[in-house]
Amino acid sequence: MKENKTIGEILRENRAKKGLLLRHVSAKLDIDTAILSKIERSERKATKEQILKLAEIFDLDKDDLLVLYLSEKILYEIKDEELGQKALKVAEQKMKYISKNKSGN
Amino acid sequence: MKENKTIGEILRENRAKKGLLLRHVSAKLDIDTAILSKIERSERKATKEQILKLAEIFDLDKDDLLVLYLSEKILYEIKDEELGQKALKVAEQKMKYISKNKSGN
DNA sequence: ATATATTTGACGTTAATTGTCAAGTGTAAT
DNA sequence: ATTACACTTGACAATTAACGTCAAATATAT
């Protein structure tokens, strides 16, 4: 039973839970409501900074939200690629290799 | 015993193996030698089209090279992120979920 | 020293991202 | 049915990043 909501869906749910309007939240982000609307409907991507602010606004765990955000960014890169799955696995391998060989490890 | 060459290193090795100069290969790609030089030293990313041409030029398996290319693109997205590993895993989960729910599956 | 191959960095151009704005749609209450 | 409000949509502008050229600098070999 895996959850599989988009970050946009999560943002919208949390905004509703707090009883906030697009207007309120977008003001805090200092952007037009139009953009926030699009972010919530996955029509646009948020910036990292916006994600961090949103985590604050909704009292969500920043790391959790960031992980979700980054995973969507990754998927965006390979969404139209046949070889996406394989590329992901190779990326993981490389990542492990890199962190193994980090100084101070 | 994992190989861990960059795509740039692979390209340079293969160019050497064929005894070709930057000039020769870059001409086929229709770009300046400067760019190819940078690609080989991982200072620039190639485009997908360039990767496909390079696979042809060096008689390499296109899928293999593309997977490598995509994996580097993915890593590029998260290279400075603490949460990169986690994001990759989540991306893989999502990816599986997506392909499960594809039509004609 | 010349010649050739590669590298470097300053600089355009193009394309993608991020945003605004104004008009449009949906919904609920008067 | 018109007013009011929340949200959505699409055309457009501004900013940033990607992609390229070019000419000068550096290396390497003859």
Side-chain angles (χ1 to χ4, degrees), chain B residues 41-97:
Chain B
R41 288 172 296 107
S42 302
E43 199 182 303
R44 286 261 186 129
K45 284 178 293 183
T47 67
K48 187 179 175 183
E49 289 65 37
Q50 288 163 349
I51 292 298
L52 292 174
K53 275 199 183 179
L54 287 163
E56 275 183 17
I57 293 167
F58 300 137
D59 300 305
L60 298 173
D61 185 89
K62 285 190 183 187
D63 282 5
D64 288 352
L65 208 60
L66 261 182
V67 165
L68 215 51
Y69 167 69
L70 291 172
S71 72
E72 286 193 3
K73 268 184 80 171
I74 291 167
L75 284 181
Y76 182 79
E77 287 295 315
I78 57 176
K79 64 180 184 320
D80 301 324
E81 298 291 342
E82 295 291 339
L83 300 165
Q85 301 247 29
K86 285 187 188 174
L88 270 176
K89 289 207 193 309
V90 173
E92 269 202 273
Q93 292 307 315
K94 284 181 190 289
M95 197 74 175
K96 279 177 196 161
Y97 181 81

